[in-house]
Amino acid sequence: MSGQDGLVKLDRQVAVLEERMNTMNERYDKGWSLLREDLAKRDAELAKRDRNMSIQIYAVAFGIVVVILGIGGTIISLLV
């Protein structure tokens, strides 16, 4: 009989460990899904920043070209 009691205890321990394992797997899955959401938000924010940065760079480059043309035009008008 003690052999069967040992098997029953072992079965209970295995069941408890399986339940713990399932609980931990659920926690890991939830953590991974939250991480994926955070990464998607970060990627979207970085894309928005990149777009804004590109607009700013083009605006500065256009301003520099306008200033260079203005200075060049002024110099030419003074020479003529």
Side-chain angles (χ1 to χ4, degrees):
M1 288 283 210
S2 67
Q4 287 182 345
D5 290 340
L7 289 176
V8 170
K9 287 181 182 178
L10 186 59
D11 282 342
R12 280 192 201 134
Q13 286 178 347
V14 168
V16 168
L17 290 174
E18 284 177 348
E19 189 60 35
R20 285 183 187 170
M21 183 180 67
N22 290 337
T23 302
M24 291 305 295
N25 283 337
E26 289 174 9
R27 287 183 184 174
Y28 288 142
D29 291 341
K30 184 178 179 182
W32 282 114
S33 66
L34 291 174
L35 180 63
R36 282 188 207 102
E37 288 176 18
D38 288 345
L39 290 175
K41 289 177 186 176
R42 184 205 60 181
D43 290 345
E45 186 176 322
L46 287 177
K48 184 178 177 182
R49 283 186 192 174
D50 286 347
R51 190 173 45 244
N52 289 339
M53 185 70 73
S54 295
I55 291 170
Q56 291 173 354
I57 289 172
Y58 288 130
V60 168
F62 180 74
I64 290 171
V65 169
V66 168
V67 168
I68 289 173
L69 290 176
I71 292 172
T74 304
I75 290 173
I76 289 174
S77 68
L78 291 175
L79 294 176
V80 175

